[in-house]
Amino acid sequence: MFARQILIPTLLCLALAACSARPPIETLAPVAVQPPADAKLVQIYAATTRQRLADRPYAFGAGRAEGLSYAAFQISVPPGHQPGKIEWPDGPPDPQTDFVTLRQQIMSPAAFADALRGKDAGVFVHGYNHSFQEALFRTAQMGADSHLTASPILFSWPSEGSTAAYLADRDGVDYSRDALTDLLTELARQRSANGRVAILAHSMGARLTMEALRQLRLQGRDDVLARLDVVLAAPDIDIDTFREQARVIGPMQEPITVLVASDDKALAISARVSSGRQRVGSIDIRNPQIRRAMEHSGMRVIDISSIQPDQFAHDRYIDLISLYPQLEATQGATPGTGIRRAGAFIFDSVGMTFDSIGNVLAD
């Protein structure tokens, strides 16, 4: 038992965070500076089940709040920004070289709803081991790189932001299911007749999203589900749990997109922590049984292994989002949703194409 207690945090530390320094919470504090003319300003709206910090009211910590809190942040992205990267300040924030928080506002539910009314909405649900500031700046980075017109919305659940808190984070996900369900219901209600709500959920955030979709179906909220475009990136979900979630959710008007890579080292360790149960995000779609199961689910599963991975091959979705302008130029496709049917596909990062697995295997 003692060896297991030592092994699990060590493995998680090595594979999921590389034990690197974390950005301080002070990066959320608004800085009174004039950004350069060629900086990009990104307005982020946040809905969170985290507690607001009493001594730093501009920030949210790992504590669990009763109900949702709402906020807005304006983030300046530096002129020399590299797609897929977050240029964190190293010392006093400099808008010439760093991501900088320019403005922050705590919002009432009514003000939050008014700010987003009539706009396209894109929700990011972060994964395990994320602080609020990491999730917020990642949302800003993806908003800047994708050039999408949707208003970026961060849904942040109370992750402990610690490599040793995997089980506590899973509890934080379960704690936040009702809140995400309520947020999606409100966003769907605000949209026009043809309006859509896009959701990108990463890793453990995909577990939370699937639970929210399941709850919406059990509540009979087919009207909400019909407005959702869902992408699950490297979902950290046990395959059997995922199968049961998918059974209850049933077919969606827009098939759920699942981004997978069989060489995801972080999910391999998650499986090891979970008594060897494989995670959905690391399935091999070349396996006929797995492929048939995913196709039977009515989802579209896309292997994105061709994207050059980070050290642990768990964050490829970031690079896929950064490729959006090129994808739009070559095929008019939004990452992951340009394929309009269910099935199994492989993304070719060289040709910028989504190829049917049947065609790939035949070549």
Side-chain angles (χ1 to χ4, degrees):
M1 175 61 73
F2 177 76
R4 179 177 174 83
Q5 290 173 340
I6 296 297
L7 175 64
I8 290 175
T10 301
L11 286 174
L12 290 171
C13 184
L14 290 173
L16 297 176
C19 288
S20 57
R22 310 298 290 263
I25 204 164
E26 284 72 25
T27 56
L28 294 169
V31 179
V33 295
Q34 181 64 40
D38 49 352
K40 182 160 189 176
L41 304 184
V42 183
Q43 181 80 3
I44 305 295
Y45 297 95
T48 181
T49 50
R50 296 173 183 261
Q51 280 187 344
R52 188 147 55 103
L53 300 180
D55 58 338
R56 282 162 289 188
Y58 53 80
F60 297 87
R64 299 173 185 176
E66 294 184 7
L68 277 167
S69 297
Y70 303 93
F73 294 81
Q74 186 180 64
I75 307 297
S76 173
V77 178
H81 165 66
Q82 297 182 33
K85 306 297 183 184
I86 300 175
E87 286 82 13
W88 292 104
D90 184 14
D94 182 352
Q96 288 283 355
T97 57
D98 308 326
F99 277 60
V100 177
T101 302
L102 298 179
R103 296 184 180 85
Q104 182 270 347
Q105 175 189 5
I106 299 298
M107 308 179 77
S108 68
F112 181 84
D114 288 343
L116 292 167
R117 199 178 311 280
K119 299 179 181 178
D120 292 333
V123 181
F124 175 54
V125 185
H126 64 78
Y128 153 77
N129 187 26
H130 271 62
S131 66
F132 183 83
Q133 58 268 28
E134 287 171 314
L136 182 81
F137 277 59
R138 178 60 67 194
T139 308
Q141 172 265 310
M142 290 190 293
D145 290 350
S146 65
H147 305 294
L148 295 174
T149 58
S151 300
I153 302 168
L154 168 65
F155 181 86
S156 186
W157 50 274
S159 167
E160 294 289 330
S162 167
T163 54
Y166 185 83
L167 294 180
D169 271 16
R170 199 156 65 185
D171 289 342
V173 157
D174 293 342
Y175 175 80
S176 302
R177 178 183 55 205
D178 290 351
L180 180 56
T181 302
D182 292 344
L183 175 65
L184 297 179
T185 300
E186 178 61 20
L187 290 175
R189 186 188 67 80
Q190 294 174 1
R191 305 284 74 76
S192 62
N194 297 319
R196 310 292 297 171
V197 179
I199 306 165
L200 172 63
H202 179 231
S203 193
M204 196 177 283
R207 171 190 172 98
L208 169 56
T209 299
M210 285 294 285
E211 282 296 299
L213 299 181
R214 180 179 181 273
Q215 184 155 314
L216 285 167
R217 187 69 81 188
L218 291 173
Q219 292 174 346
R221 296 310 306 264
D222 298 359
D223 58 323
V224 177
L225 292 171
R227 291 176 176 268
L228 305 182
D229 298 327
V230 181
V231 178
L232 308 178
D236 186 1
I237 310 174
D238 167 88
I239 286 180
D240 294 327
T241 300
F242 185 78
R243 185 184 297 115
E244 179 62 17
Q245 290 169 329
R247 183 191 67 79
V248 174
I249 295 167
M252 297 272 287
Q253 180 171 307
E254 181 67 30
I256 293 172
T257 298
V258 186
L259 306 179
V260 303
S262 59
D263 63 346
D264 190 315
K265 297 179 179 64
L267 291 182
I269 291 178
S270 176
R272 184 170 179 177
V273 172
S274 304
S275 301
R277 296 186 178 276
Q278 188 180 21
R279 320 319 278 172
V280 172
S282 62
I283 62 173
D284 183 356
I285 66 171
R286 290 171 175 80
N287 181 318
Q289 289 183 320
I290 289 178
R291 188 166 67 252
R292 284 194 296 270
M294 292 301 293
E295 290 172 348
H296 180 71
S297 71
M299 300 183 184
R300 65 170 74 91
V301 55
I302 304 175
D303 187 306
I304 59 172
S305 300
S306 68
I307 296 176
Q308 186 67 30
D310 59 11
Q311 186 177 3
F312 298 104
H314 192 52
D315 292 334
R316 283 185 171 104
Y317 76 100
I318 297 170
D319 296 298
L320 182 61
I321 293 294
S322 299
L323 290 172
Y324 172 80
Q326 295 169 259
L327 286 167
E328 186 180 42
T330 57
Q331 37 176 285
T334 300
T337 61
I339 307 164
R340 309 312 300 180
R341 66 187 189 278
F345 304 86
I346 291 181
F347 175 62
D348 177 1
S349 62
V350 176
M352 294 291 172
T353 59
F354 295 92
D355 301 318
S356 168
I357 183 66
N359 294 337
V360 172
L361 294 177
D363 289 342

